[in-house]
Amino acid sequence: MSNTGPAPTTTAAPRRAALPVLTAASLAAVVAVGGTAVGSANAGPARKGGVEILELEVRNDQYTAVDLGPEGPGLGDMDVYSGTAVKDGKAVGRGGGTCQVVHVKGAELTSQCQLTMEVAQGSVTLQSLWTKGAGPLDMAVTGGTGVYREARGTARFWDIGTPDERVRLEIRR
């Protein structure tokens, strides 16, 4: 979510240094995210006991780090990202979000992360605290729009900021 060295004001990188599009966008969009992702009927979500299960890849496409205050990692610094959610090689959604440093303890940075993932049937919002380097990342599904307007559940991201970033969402609606 946050870089450990001095953060550039703009970085055009295919991968986020931290979280999900979606991640990612690692969800985002996803997760993305970055990094972000929620599937549509085309994404082929599985249903299990009233829970929609979505397992997606996160392809991050835009990322920037905002270094606020003194140069280097610190309170208030932010990562902004967007990306695409992919299922079986096909784009099924997009998303993006931010992670802002809310606590610094030595070299350990904890960020508040918020993502939105959008698909044909609506969007899903995600939120969590994340300590850089810790993984996997679990995020709460806090709501959404369309068929996801009353969504609750969890999203787990793995391999954040890498070409192998992925997310599994378990959504109750």
Side-chain angles (χ1 to χ4, degrees), residues 16-27:
R16 267 187 349 93
L19 179 75
V21 105
L22 201 351
T23 170
S26 150
L27 12 238

Side-chain angles (χ1 to χ4, degrees), residues 21-25 27-32 36 61 81-85 93-97 116-118:
V21 105
L22 201 351
T23 170
L27 12 238
V30 182
V31 339
T36 257
D61 59 17
Y81 45 88
S82 66
T84 303
R94 68 184 184 121
T116 302
M117 298 179 206
E118 182 180 77

Side-chain angles (χ1 to χ4, degrees), residues 48-128:
K48 182 179 178 184
V51 175
E52 184 174 345
I53 306 292
L54 299 167
E55 293 182 332
L56 305 165
E57 296 173 39
V58 177
R59 295 195 183 144
N60 299 294
D61 59 17
Q62 294 183 348
Y63 169 78
T64 192
V66 180
D67 190 10
L68 302 173
E71 188 174 323
L75 199 61
D77 289 355
M78 187 180 333
D79 293 301
V80 182
Y81 45 88
S82 66
T84 303
V86 176
K87 177 75 175 175
D88 299 326
K90 209 181 214 185
V92 295
R94 68 184 184 121
T98 61
C99 291
Q100 186 168 33
V101 177
V102 295
H103 188 263
V104 178
K105 183 178 179 183
E108 184 178 278
L109 303 175
T110 301
S111 295
Q112 165 75 20
C113 299
Q114 298 176 330
L115 293 107
T116 302
M117 298 179 206
E118 182 180 77
V119 294
Q121 294 182 21
S123 65
V124 173
T125 56
L126 306 169
Q127 183 173 3
S128 72

